C-alpha cells in the first residue's frame, strides 16, 4: 500500500533530491515518537538491520548506510528495487536525510541496512525465499531482522525463525493489513517475534491493521512518508511501515545497550510502551505504542527479576567487551550466555509471557 510520489518542484541548484524539503515536514511520525529527543541518546551506530524485501535502491538519503547484500531473485547485491517497498522500509529504519536538514529521516540514521532481495514485488512472497533470506541475514551477523510482510508458513521457515531467535537476533514482523489479513499473520504470530500493529496520527488503532493475541506493540502506520526508488519519495499506509519503525527502535536500543541480549531488548521495548486501550496487553495495541525515549532511558527490571537478583544480569554484561562492530556479535553472544545463566531461564519466561494476559513490569512516568 505504498504510493510513489513524483518529484516535487525545487530549486535547480539544490544539492538534494527533488521533494526533499517537503518530505521531512510530512514525516509526522517523527514528532509523534519524539525522534529528535531519542537521537540525542542513540542513533543506531554499530547496528546492522537485515531487510528481506524487494531490495533497496540506493537513495541519496541512505548514502553510506547500505551494505552489499544479495539478490535471491537473480544475481546481484540486493541494491536494486523496482517496486519501492524495500527502499521505503530502509528509509524508515536508517535514512539520514541531507546535511541541510531536508530529506527523509529514519528512526536509526546511523544503523546499517543489509538488503536481501527475496521478491520483486511487495505483494505476496514465498516462504522458502523468506527462509533463505533470514538464513543469509543471520550468517552475515545482523542484529535485527525486519520482515514487513506476511508469508505462508512452512516447516523450513519456522525452523529458520527459531534459528534467528537462538542466534540472539531480534526479529520484527508485520501483523498484516485488513481486509486481506484479519488475524495476525506469519511470521509475526511466531512466539518470540515482535508482532507489530499500526496506529493513526492520533495514536489510535489503525483500521488497516490486523489484530490478535499475538500483538506485542504498535507504531505509526498511516500516511507514512519515506524514500523510494529513483531518488523519489513515497507515502504508504500499513503495518509494513509500523514494522520498519519498530525495527529502527530496536536498532536504537541495541546501539545504546550493545551487550543486552535480544529477549531483554524486546522486554525493554514492551515494558516501556505507552499503554493504550484496555489496561494491560490487548489485541489491538499489544503492550502499547512504542516510546523511544523511555525505551532508551528507563530503569527496566530484567526478565525473571521476581526470582533472581536484579544485579546478576548487570554483572554478566559488565564482563563482556563493549564492541558493537567486528567481533561484537561474538562478544554479545558471550554476554547473552552469561545473562541467560544468571537470569535462571528468563528467556523462557519471556517466550511464555508473549502469550500471557499480564503485561510486563510497567515503567512509571
Amino acid at each position: 500500500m505504498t504510493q510513489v510520489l513524483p518529484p516535487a518542484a525545487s530549486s535547480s541548484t539544490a544539492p538534494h533530491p527533488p521533494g526533499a524539503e517537503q518530505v521531512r515536514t510530512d514525516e509526522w511520525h517523527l514528532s509523534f515518537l519524539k525522534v529528535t529527543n531519542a537521537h540525542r541518546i542513540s542513533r543506531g551506530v554499530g547496528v546492522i538491520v537485515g531487510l528481506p524485501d524487494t531490495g533497496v535502491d540506493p537513495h541519496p538519503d541512505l548514502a553510506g548506510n547500505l551494505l552489499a547484500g544479495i539478490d535471491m531473485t537473480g544475481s546481484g547485491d540486493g541494491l536494486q528495487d523496482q517496486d519501492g517497498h524495500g527502499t521505503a522500509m530502509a528509509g524508515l529504519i536508517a535514512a539520514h536525510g541531507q546535511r541541510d536538514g531536508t530529506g527523509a529521516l529514519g528512526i536509526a540514521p546511523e544503523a546499517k541496512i543489509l538488503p536481501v532481495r527475496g521478491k520483486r514485488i511487495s505483494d505476496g512472497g514465498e516462504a522458502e525465499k523468506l527462509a533463505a533470506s533470514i538464513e543469509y541475514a543471520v550468517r552475515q551477523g545482523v542484529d535485527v531482522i525486519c520482515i514487513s510482510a506476511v508469508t505462508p508458513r512452512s516447516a523450513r521457515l519456522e525452523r529458520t525463525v527459531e534459528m534467528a531467535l537462538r542466534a540472539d537476533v531480534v526479529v520484527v514482523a508485520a501483523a498484516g493489513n485488513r481486509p486481506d489479513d484479519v488475524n495476525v499473520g506469519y511470521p509475526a504470530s511466531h512466539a518470540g517475534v515482535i508482532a507489530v500493529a499500526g496506529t493513526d496520527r492520533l495514536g489510535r488503532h489503525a483500521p488497516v491493521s490486523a489484530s490478535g493475541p499475538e500483538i506485542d506493540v504498535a507504531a505509526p502506520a498511516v500516511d507514512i512518508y519515506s524514500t523510494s526508488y529513483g531518488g523519489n519519495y513515497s507515502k504508504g499506509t500499513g503495518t509494513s511501515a509500523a514494522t520498519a519503525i519498530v525495527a529502527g527502535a530496536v536498532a536504537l536500543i541495541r546501539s545504546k545497550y550493545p551487550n543486552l541480549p535480544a529477549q531483554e531488548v524486546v522486554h525493554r521495548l514492551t515494558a516501556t510502551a505507552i499503554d493504550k486501550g484496555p489496561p494491560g496487553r490487548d489485541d489491538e495495541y499489544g503492550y502499547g505504542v512504542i516510546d523511544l525515549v523511555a525505551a532508551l532511558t528507563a530503569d527496566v527490571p530484567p526478565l525473571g527479576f521476581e526470582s533472581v537478583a536484579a544485579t546478576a544480569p548487570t554483572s554478566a554484561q559488565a564482563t563482556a567487551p563493549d564492541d558493537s562492530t567486528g567481533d561484537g556479535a561474538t562478544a554479545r553472544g558471550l554476554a547473552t550466555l552469561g545473562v541467560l545463566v544468571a537470569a535462571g531461564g528468563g528467556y523462557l519466561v519471556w517466550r511464555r509471557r508473549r502469550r500471557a494476559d499480564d503485561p510486563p513490569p510497567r515503567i512509571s512516568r
Side-chain angles (χ1 to χ4, degrees), residues 2 4 53-57 80-90 120-122 226-229 234:
T2 301
V4 178
D53 212 293
T54 62
V56 179
D57 189 60
Q80 180 184 15
D81 181 12
Q82 298 170 335
D83 178 272
H85 191 272
T87 307
M89 299 306 104
R120 293 179 181 272
I121 60 173
S122 60
S226 186
T227 48
S228 187
Y229 60 88
S234 65

Side-chain angles (χ1 to χ4, degrees), residues 259-261 263-264 312-314 316-317 334-344 346:
N259 296 323
L260 202 63
Q263 72 275 12
E264 291 289 350
T314 303
Q317 292 168 27
L334 294 174
T336 300
L337 178 62
V339 172
L340 291 181
V341 172

